[in-house]
Amino acid sequence: MSRCARLRGAWMGWLAVLVCTVVLGCTPPGTEPGVEIWRFAIEEPLGSVQDAYAQRFKDLIETRSDGAIKVVVYPYGTVGNSDQVTELLRMGTLQFAMASPGHLGKLIPEVQVFLLHFVLTDDAEVNNRALSDPGLIDAINALYAEKGFRLLDIYSEGWMVWTTKKPVRTPEDFQGVKMRTMTSPLLLAAYEAYGASPTPLPYGEVYSALQLNMIDAQVNPVFAIQEMSFYEVTDYMIFPNHAPFVTTAVTNREFFESLAPEHQTLVQDVVEELHGYILDTQQAYNTERLDLIKERKPSLQIIEALTEAERQRFREASMKVRDQYAATAGPRAQQILDTLLEAVERAKTAP
Ligand code: 6CS
């Protein structure tokens, strides 16, 4: 991309943030006077896992506050892409947002620990327990606090699944494959380690990039592959179980601290309740939508599992990326990685 195009892109991004700041500053039509407005932006469209989270959050907050609070949910694209949403949250224009490490890693490099492959296990239950480890949550929350955020929850949206235009079962199969990644820099290292040519792109540009052969492959959970129609423009779907898609629910710290104690408790209670709900929901969405994909595109070749030997080849190739993470993701990266690895060990032996 030319310098001029990059500058134009940056300007357009800032213009979007400015327009959103002005628009979001207005009270939504039909709002009763005296009702408090909380704005919640998600990185996915309506009908997604993040949307299920935000809609349930809205229902619970509005009901339990007896109408004193109205939550407005902004699906992907309505207030910009992931980076713009994060910026608006930081400015306090938005009060709540989803912030996925796959994009947030540019602002908080240590959070890219969730992008490392084979750090979590191939057992979803173990991973869910590890991601809820109090020590891990505290360590990540401390990093978020430095950027003006407060971490509300960390959760998995399901296994990351590759959709490609050719079968991939070994790192050799990835040679020369233009793999779309989210925009955090560590993802480039993760796919370079397999011999692929990674190309970072915002979520909203992936479908047309696959269609125009600007990229050959992408990686996302099944529900996202279905709702973004990525399966239409790829031929293979491969389940390596190398990592789940991890995201975080976040609020603006200053906003949260300005809330009355009963509203802080309300948010904390709702968020705690939502954790189990969202894990069940993502599991159901991923299962149902795989069936839908199979029905809509019977010609799609689905490799539902790699053999242990094949996974081992990827695991070995991925190990050097841990060193790259420790060397490039900030002074606390190694400590965060150790905290996650310890959480995984604890989760393996938990009842
Ligand atoms: O691939 C992405 O960029 C996006 N994927 C999901 C499942 N959620 C948000 C994220 O931005």
Side-chain angles (χ1 to χ4, degrees):
M1 195 196 286
S2 71
R3 187 163 175 269
C4 185
R6 267 202 313 276
L7 280 174
R8 200 169 50 238
W11 265 109
M12 295 301 281
W14 279 107
L15 192 63
V17 168
L18 189 69
V19 170
C20 287
T21 307
V22 173
V23 173
L24 296 177
C26 305
T27 306
T31 308
E32 297 286 321
V35 172
E36 210 175 303
I37 307 295
W38 291 359
R39 295 179 164 81
F40 194 154
I42 55 175
E43 300 174 294
E44 295 169 3
L46 292 173
S48 62
V49 169
Q50 292 187 3
D51 185 45
Y53 187 109
Q55 299 297 346
R56 180 60 76 99
F57 178 89
K58 172 182 167 67
D59 284 353
L60 295 176
I61 295 285
E62 290 182 355
T63 311
R64 293 183 189 172
S65 69
D66 286 327
I69 300 165
K70 181 180 162 97
V71 178
V72 184
V73 177
Y74 296 92
Y76 184 72
T78 54
V79 291
N81 62 28
S82 296
D83 294 345
Q84 288 151 355
V85 163
T86 306
E87 190 51 34
L88 289 164
L89 180 70
R90 208 142 92 99
M91 289 161 59
T93 310
L94 294 166
Q95 288 73 47
F96 298 89
M98 291 298 177
S100 297
H103 298 290
L104 188 66
K106 297 194 293 299
L107 183 66
I108 306 177
E110 290 90 342
V111 82
Q112 295 177 104
V113 74
F114 299 116
L115 307 177
L116 290 168
H117 298 176
F118 299 100
V119 165
L120 290 162
T121 70
D122 59 351
D123 181 334
E125 297 286 316
V126 169
N127 297 343
N128 291 339
R129 281 200 294 275
L131 293 172
S132 311
D133 187 276
L136 177 71
I137 303 225
D138 286 350
I140 300 293
N141 191 28
L143 298 166
Y144 278 36
E146 290 171 14
K147 301 293 178 194
F149 301 136
R150 182 186 169 98
L151 176 67
L152 296 174
D153 198 12
I154 305 178
Y155 66 90
S156 155
E157 296 191 23
W159 293 113
M160 286 297 250
V161 176
W162 297 327
T163 66
T164 61
K165 298 188 181 188
K166 57 173 261 206
V168 173
R169 302 200 75 122
T170 63
E172 287 74 31
D173 295 333
F174 257 134
Q175 289 298 318
V177 169
K178 286 185 254 103
M179 178 69 165
R180 178 270 172 173
T181 64
M182 290 179 279
T183 53
S184 287
L186 195 80
L187 286 167
L188 298 181
Y191 282 93
E192 273 161 6
Y194 298 154
S197 304
T199 307
L201 280 179
Y203 200 31
E205 293 175 28
V206 180
Y207 183 91
S208 55
L210 282 167
Q211 196 175 36
L212 298 171
N213 288 322
M214 289 160 65
I215 52 170
D216 309 313
Q218 69 79 44
V219 50
N220 256 305
V222 171
F223 82 87
I225 292 169
Q226 188 274 322
E227 72 191 4
M228 299 297 282
S229 304
F230 299 149
Y231 68 96
E232 289 178 2
V233 279
T234 42
D235 304 309
Y236 293 84
M237 197 170 181
I238 303 145
F239 291 69
N241 288 13
H242 59 300
F245 180 95
V246 175
T247 195
T248 64
V250 189
T251 184
N252 175 289
R253 177 161 284 270
E254 212 174 285
F255 157 78
F256 185 83
E257 285 169 2
S258 74
L259 290 177
E262 64 271 22
H263 283 170
Q264 291 189 355
T265 309
L266 173 64
V267 171
Q268 280 161 331
D269 290 350
V270 165
V271 161
E272 205 178 307
E273 213 171 299
L274 279 176
H275 188 77
Y277 164 77
I278 205 61
L279 293 181
D280 291 346
T281 304
Q282 64 90 343
Q283 204 178 358
Y285 280 17
N286 282 310
T287 308
E288 288 159 14
R289 293 183 194 193
L290 182 58
D291 291 342
L292 207 60
I293 291 174
K294 287 178 181 170
E295 197 183 300
R296 292 200 182 151
K297 187 170 177 181
S299 64
L300 187 75
Q301 302 284 314
I302 303 184
I303 301 175
E304 298 223 13
L306 297 185
T307 65
E308 207 26 63
E310 287 164 344
R311 293 184 73 245
Q312 183 57 19
R313 297 282 323 284
F314 284 109
R315 185 183 289 111
E316 281 163 12
S318 76
M319 291 311 280
K320 68 175 181 208
V321 185
R322 295 188 191 189
D323 299 335
Q324 280 169 273
Y325 166 76
T328 60
R332 284 152 302 178
Q334 185 64 55
Q335 192 190 325
I336 296 283
L337 174 56
D338 292 342
T339 306
L340 178 56
L341 288 167
E342 284 158 24
V344 171
E345 286 313 308
R346 270 195 295 280
K348 282 183 191 163
T349 53

